[in-house]
Amino acid sequence: MQKNLEVRSGPNYYECQKDVLSSLEERLITLNYKKALWIHGKKSLEAAQPFLPQFHYIQSLFVPYEEKCSLKERDRLASKAKEFRADVIISLGGGSVLDLGKAVANMVDCEVILIPTLASTCSAWTPKSLMYKDGQFHSALSHPKQALMVLIEPRIILHSPVAYLRSGISNTLAKWYELDALMAKEENKTFAMELAHQIAHNSHTLLLAHGKQALIDLATVKLSASLLKTIEIIIMGGGIASSFNSQHETATLFQNSISLNSSSPLLLGEKAAYGIFIQLALEENWDEIDRILPFYRQIKLPYGENIETVEKLASFIAQDKRVHVLFPSLTQQEVADSIQALLHHIQQNERVPVL
């Protein structure tokens, strides 16, 4: 287990409420900023436009990102920031855009403000960036500083696709199962570990209680208490849990392995949904699979129907050293047998009615 634990619990300032962006220029002026470089996606900017304030004193340069978070794209945007002499980066968008904003800000040594337009990951909370190369996950960059601010205008997320919120729910559930398994192996639990463990548990419990209603409310464009709670759990709860789990994210491994073995386009959280079940199958925790399978079916999470090439998937999982933190002597055959057992177990439960 990781002994040298670094705890960076969250951004310097966080706020989630309607009209939170209306005072953004005033905040920047108070901090003596003069030039803001905005990194954004095209759709993200369109979604956020009705809620963005007009700046009268802060000079802004809006630069759309051109490809998923990568070293090449980070360097391109960092050059733009230097040319503009930006003293603050504002990143507006989904997880990949937020990751770019953090990477650029750390490269040019300035602060970053994150404005998420989706609730699909905890990217707004964590001081790291997932880097891609040729469209495939390559590495994770850990940054020395947290974000200056995370500002959530929930009405932007209210108009986001339902699939992304569903993905965020699954991503956050995965953090509980991974962290719970890791904590069971940890002999010397620090208070920080126990706090992250408790937050992950609370997040899991609340998502099972509110997740279905949140998806219904998002689909009907209703800014409800369940939706607001779910947004904050995904971004904040998932982010705090990651403060301990950042080095051993088994669902991330399963996500990448499954993406190489599925012809269906799946969001990260949908791959994490498979990852949860594969982990539970390896643990032979069939009771927990039975307990959460109805929830999977209620919110339409994938749970086995798109897994292809079991042997190839098993090979990827068995060879990755991160999985061996949880399963030290795991073999490819054991993984393949567990996946087959999982698929058989699910088939046996297919006739159970959705509540």
Side-chain angles (χ1 to χ4, degrees), residues 114-148:
L114 304 176
I115 305 173
T117 58
L118 302 170
S120 58
T121 72
C122 62
S123 177
W125 202 266
T126 57
K128 64 180 179 180
S129 299
L130 301 183
M131 310 303 290
Y132 290 78
K133 186 175 182 179
D134 300 325
Q136 297 293 324
F137 174 74
H138 180 260
S139 60
L141 289 183
S142 183
H143 306 304
K145 291 193 300 183
Q146 275 281 15
L148 176 66

Side-chain angles (χ1 to χ4, degrees), residues 6 32 34 39 78 89 113 128 161 199 203 221 236 254 319:
E6 292 184 12
N32 296 316
K34 296 178 174 59
I39 298 172
I89 305 294
I113 296 171
K128 64 180 179 180
I199 289 172
S203 298
V221 198
M236 183 191 297
F254 293 139
Q319 291 179 36

Side-chain angles (χ1 to χ4, degrees), residues 175-230:
K175 295 179 188 302
W176 158 248
Y177 290 105
E178 295 164 359
L179 189 50
D180 190 47
L182 287 166
M183 288 291 283
K185 294 179 177 295
E186 181 59 60
E187 296 180 358
N188 301 308
K189 300 178 180 66
T190 66
F191 178 69
M193 293 176 185
E194 291 175 344
L195 181 61
H197 191 221
Q198 187 61 54
I199 289 172
H201 179 264
N202 290 351
S203 298
H204 175 274
T205 301
L206 289 169
L207 286 178
L208 292 183
H210 293 277
K212 179 183 176 182
Q213 189 60 49
L215 291 166
I216 292 171
D217 294 337
L218 182 63
T220 56
V221 198
K222 178 184 177 183
L223 192 58
S224 65
S226 287
L227 179 55
L228 277 170
K229 189 181 294 289
T230 299

Side-chain angles (χ1 to χ4, degrees), residues 42-172:
K42 181 180 178 182
K43 291 182 180 179
S44 298
L45 185 59
E46 291 174 355
Q49 201 70 62
F51 310 102
L52 295 181
Q54 291 291 325
F55 282 7
H56 302 286
Y57 303 100
I58 303 294
Q59 188 177 350
S60 292
L61 176 64
F62 286 80
V63 182
Y65 83 111
E66 294 181 353
E67 64 178 59
K68 205 165 187 174
C69 188
S70 66
L71 295 176
K72 177 183 175 183
E73 184 68 357
R74 179 203 63 180
D75 294 347
R76 183 186 75 87
L77 292 168
S79 294
K80 294 282 187 183
K82 291 175 182 177
E83 291 171 9
F84 182 59
R85 296 185 178 179
D87 45 22
V88 65
I89 305 294
I90 303 176
S91 195
L92 171 76
S96 192
V97 178
L98 301 183
D99 280 359
L100 270 172
K102 289 179 284 186
V104 171
N106 276 274
M107 188 170 188
V108 301
D109 193 25
C110 68
E111 302 290 353
V112 62
I113 296 171
L114 304 176
I115 305 173
T117 58
L118 302 170
S120 58
T121 72
C122 62
S123 177
W125 202 266
T126 57
K128 64 180 179 180
S129 299
L130 301 183
M131 310 303 290
Y132 290 78
K133 186 175 182 179
D134 300 325
Q136 297 293 324
F137 174 74
H138 180 260
S139 60
L141 289 183
S142 183
H143 306 304
K145 291 193 300 183
Q146 275 281 15
L148 176 66
M149 300 180 199
V150 172
L151 305 175
I152 302 176
E153 168 52 82
R155 291 174 296 177
I156 299 176
I157 298 175
L158 183 62
H159 294 88
S160 64
V162 172
Y164 286 95
L165 186 68
R166 182 185 298 114
S167 178
I169 290 171
S170 181
N171 262 324
T172 310

